[in-house]
Amino acid sequence: MLNHTKSKVPKREALQFLSSGQSVSNPIAIVAVMSLILSSLSFLLQLFNYGATSTLARKKPPSLVQIADGNTINVKALEPDDRSAEVIKKFVVDTLVKMFNWDGLIKSTKNGEIITQQDNGTNIKVTKGTARVTTKAWEAAFALSEEQDFRASFLKRLAELTPPSVFQGGLQSSLVPRYVSEPRKIGKGKWQVDVIATLVTFSKEDNAGNGIAFNKTVTVQVIQTPQKPPETTEIAQKIYSVRRSGLEIIEITDLNLGKN
């Protein structure tokens, strides 16, 4: 009988892919590696999202500005100690204009009608008795800081400079800004603004007006924006209106323009 023996065929070894042990086929290994990469990317994305969410949660919500009709609008979100250059410049100019624009008149609203009447001013105690500042100037002065009696001292000086004829309609003045510099940051939540303006006064005898230079460096700092309650006193309403920009003036000095 013839003996037929089967020739031994060497076994084919499965290719190994990134494996030091049991053999793994190429397709399975590729799927495993891709899953690992995608899982890692997903984990990193979740870490990034968590960090961004935590940072946003720690930030104060953006301020609201109330417009004349009572509606509110969102403004650009900033850090609590930051203010935009436009807000700072507007705050400084509006405050100075209200304090130095004198016409001897005040306007009030009654039953939906605007009533104009003579301004009797507000009495301020000064070195020699009492003097007066205009009602608008007194209200605008709430934009000044109370630190070191700055507001009180400024009002005393302003009262001494305000002519009594303002309250009889014999004299008017208008502050005309000519240049307002970009705010210079001098510290955390503090800026300086240079204002070059002309203070023009008019009298019954001289309608042409008399102008004097009004060049000042105004230093402002950040304050917490006051929250307006639904109902409050008239004075509180005025204070809120003046300070709703979240700023106050802490110093007003003469602007040094240099000498030729």
Side-chain angles (χ1 to χ4, degrees):
M1 294 177 66
L2 295 176
N3 293 326
H4 296 280
T5 58
K6 294 182 180 180
S7 60
K8 293 183 178 180
V9 180
K11 294 181 179 180
R12 297 179 61 187
E13 294 184 359
L15 295 177
Q16 295 184 359
F17 189 84
L18 295 179
S19 175
S20 59
Q22 187 177 1
S23 298
V24 180
S25 63
N26 280 345
I28 297 177
I30 293 174
V31 171
V33 172
M34 292 299 297
S35 298
L36 178 62
I37 294 175
L38 291 175
S39 297
S40 300
L41 291 176
S42 177
F43 178 71
L44 292 175
L45 182 62
Q46 289 180 14
L47 285 179
F48 176 78
N49 184 54
Y50 174 77
T53 303
S54 299
T55 302
L56 183 62
R58 289 193 297 268
K59 286 186 178 181
K60 291 186 177 181
S63 300
L64 295 175
V65 174
Q66 186 174 39
I67 55 181
D69 60 4
N71 293 322
T72 57
I73 57 174
N74 287 321
V75 295
K76 181 180 179 180
L78 296 172
E79 293 296 327
D81 291 330
D82 283 341
R83 296 292 183 272
S84 67
E86 292 76 14
V87 169
I88 296 172
K89 292 165 66 175
K90 186 177 187 304
F91 169 76
V92 169
V93 172
D94 286 354
T95 301
L96 293 178
V97 166
K98 289 177 182 178
M99 287 195 295
F100 291 95
N101 275 18
W102 308 329
D103 58 6
L105 301 173
I106 56 174
K107 294 181 180 180
S108 59
T109 303
K110 186 176 182 180
N111 297 328
E113 296 182 2
I114 299 178
I115 301 174
T116 301
Q117 57 187 7
Q118 192 70 35
D119 183 12
N120 294 322
T122 302
N123 290 328
I124 303 294
K125 187 176 180 180
V126 295
T127 304
K128 299 179 180 179
T130 59
R132 287 184 290 176
V133 296
T134 65
T135 300
K136 294 177 183 177
W138 179 77
E139 293 174 357
F142 284 111
L144 307 182
S145 174
E146 298 289 349
E147 296 179 4
Q148 300 180 351
D149 290 332
F150 176 57
R151 185 182 70 87
S153 299
F154 185 90
L155 281 174
K156 290 179 181 179
R157 181 58 178 160
L158 186 61
E160 293 172 343
L161 294 175
T162 304
S165 57
V166 169
F167 305 101
Q168 285 81 45
L171 184 141
Q172 296 183 5
S173 71
S174 179
L175 184 67
V176 183
R178 296 161 47 203
Y179 170 78
V180 181
S181 72
E182 291 297 314
R184 300 185 299 275
K185 193 167 187 177
I186 60 173
K188 185 177 180 180
K190 290 185 179 181
W191 298 266
Q192 284 186 336
V193 178
D194 297 329
V195 179
I196 298 178
T198 302
L199 185 62
V200 184
T201 58
F202 302 88
S203 64
K204 290 183 177 180
E205 293 78 17
D206 184 12
N207 290 324
N210 180 30
I212 59 174
F214 186 96
N215 304 324
K216 304 294 179 182
T217 296
V218 182
T219 305
V220 301
Q221 71 178 6
V222 166
I223 59 171
Q224 184 175 1
T225 304
Q227 299 298 316
K228 183 180 179 181
E231 293 184 6
T232 186
T233 63
E234 183 178 354
I235 293 179
Q237 293 274 11
K238 296 182 184 301
I239 295 175
Y240 166 83
S241 177
V242 170
R243 299 171 73 87
R244 65 182 177 181
S245 297
L247 293 165
E248 68 178 7
I249 296 175
I250 60 175
E251 188 177 39
I252 300 176
T253 59
D254 291 333
L255 173 61
N256 183 12
L257 295 176
K259 296 182 179 180
N260 295 328

